Each structure stands twice: as structure tokens, then as C-alpha cells.
Amino acid sequence: MTAQEALKVALRNVLGPNARSHGYKGSAPTWRKSNASGDWAVVNVQSSSWSTAERLRCVVNLAVAPEPWLRWQRERLGAGMPKSVTEYLGLYRERLHPAEAPAGTDGWWEVRDAESAVSAATDIVAQLEHAWWPVLDRLLTPGGMLQQVGNGDLGYMKRPNHGVFFARAGALLRMDQGPSDALEADLQTALDFCMPEEKENAEQFDAWVREQARRGAS
């Protein structure tokens, strides 16, 4: 049995049932969950491209993509928009590492055989149960993602280093409620602090969001 086969079996037998118990659908390496608003949460087990049949390294990617964010991605990407929501389309993105990995390091699970594959899958489930299923569920609840943006935490991205991105995220999550002072503040921040080479894109974003807001108010 190759390392890839061992991981696939372990994910099917260990992570799959756990994900389904929390309302996720799919099969290794990706499970998804959506709500009535069209928001999506994604759990993806990524294998390293440098893996071999004898040794495989993997990590877990988590993502949540709210419907307004996906709507903007479709506008931006056009025909290049994937048919299924992938983890890299998430507005919120985070990564899980082995429990024994030092904090702040990009540790990956190593799979060599069935035993190490089950150990990796078991650790993944333990971490999801302990902390991450509740986080993903909270971000799928009404207002959950907007609160997360307000907290300045989108997983990899933190507001101190990505102010314009957070302003845009806030605008997208508010636009369907119609024009407001908060929406105006987000849009103004996104325009005022964008890089000069991004000005045209920022103006296109601004116009699109304002149009969505007008529709939301009608």
C-alpha cells in the first residue's frame, strides 16, 4: 500500500464520518458544508507535491466563503470561476498542523503506512472537534463573518497588515443591507489606501458594490 492509498483509506474511515456528523458532504480530500444563504465552509486535506509512494506530507486547509464574497469572485473571475467552491476561494482561510508541531511553524503530517495515516487522521479529527468545527459553524451563522472581519482576523490575514482587504471584506458583507454609513466608511477606506497601481481595480470594486447596495435597498 502506498502512502497515498493509506491516507485515502484513513481519511475515508476516520475523517469522513466525523465530517458528515457535522453536516459536511464530500469525500477525501475535500468536504464542504453550505447554509441557506449560499455561504460555504470547506475542509481540505492537501498533500505535498513532493510526496512519494513511500512518504507523504499533508496539511489541512480550512476556509469559509460567504455568498457576497463569492458573488464578487464570480464578477472578478468570470469564466475562470471554479464550478465548486474550493478552499482557496475562502474569505476566511486557516491551516491546521500536527498537534506536536511548534507554534508558528508550518508543520505537516507525515504518512508512510496505514498506522501513520490513521494517526494523522485521528489528530486532524481531534483538532476539529476541540476547536475548529465550532469556528466554522460560527462563521456560517448570520453576522458571524462580519463579526470576524470586525475582529480583524481572517485566519492567515490580519487587519494590521491588510487594511484595504478588510475594508473590502466589510463592504461586501454589508452591501446587501443597502447604503449605510458603515458601508460608506469601508468603501472610502478601500479607495483611500489602495496602492496606486490598484486604483482602477479599486474603482471598479467600489462601483460594483454600490450597485449591489442599491439593489439591496430596492
Side-chain angles (χ1 to χ4, degrees):
M1 179 182 289
T2 66
Q4 287 78 7
E5 291 168 340
L7 179 62
K8 184 176 181 179
V9 170
L11 294 178
R12 182 187 66 203
N13 295 339
V14 180
L15 178 53
N18 181 252
R20 285 191 292 275
S21 74
H22 288 272
Y24 286 73
K25 298 179 180 180
S27 58
T30 304
W31 291 265
R32 298 177 177 88
K33 180 178 180 178
S34 63
N35 61 19
S37 298
D39 309 323
W40 287 85
V42 182
V43 176
N44 165 260
V45 180
Q46 176 188 343
S47 297
S48 169
S49 59
W50 300 103
S51 298
T52 66
E54 293 75 30
R55 177 176 175 270
L56 175 151
R57 298 173 69 244
C58 65
V59 72
V60 178
N61 299 306
L62 307 177
V64 178
E67 190 281 330
W69 168 258
L70 291 174
R71 204 186 316 162
W72 166 244
Q73 296 307 305
R74 292 188 189 96
E75 174 70 16
R76 187 176 67 86
L77 297 174
M81 181 75 173
K83 292 182 179 180
S84 298
V85 179
T86 57
E87 64 84 19
Y88 59 80
L89 281 176
L91 174 59
Y92 177 93
R93 299 177 68 191
E94 190 54 277
R95 176 169 279 183
L96 301 190
H97 306 283
E100 69 273 12
T105 63
D106 188 27
W108 292 48
W109 284 274
E110 289 200 9
V111 174
R112 298 176 182 272
D113 51 25
E115 182 179 0
S116 56
V118 169
S119 178
T122 300
D123 186 20
I124 292 168
V125 166
Q127 292 192 45
L128 289 168
E129 284 289 344
H130 177 69
W132 292 100
W133 291 132
V135 169
L136 297 177
D137 281 345
R138 177 174 56 79
L139 295 178
L140 287 177
T141 60
M145 184 64 81
L146 185 57
Q147 181 180 17
Q148 192 72 22
V149 170
N151 292 339
D153 181 0
L154 287 173
Y156 300 161
M157 304 185 78
K158 311 297 183 186
R159 184 163 44 208
N161 298 321
H162 301 279
V164 169
F165 185 88
F166 274 78
R168 286 188 170 196
L172 287 168
L173 295 172
R174 290 187 170 96
M175 65 187 182
D176 290 339
Q177 301 168 20
S180 67
D181 290 343
L183 176 61
E184 189 63 34
D186 282 334
L187 289 174
Q188 197 62 52
T189 297
L191 278 175
D192 288 347
F193 295 97
C194 71
M195 294 184 292
E197 60 269 26
E198 291 291 323
K199 191 69 173 180
E200 181 178 355
N201 177 270
E203 290 173 345
Q204 291 173 352
F205 174 84
D206 184 89
W208 185 84
V209 170
R210 291 182 186 280
E211 176 59 26
Q212 298 295 307
R214 283 191 289 270
R215 293 179 184 179
S218 61

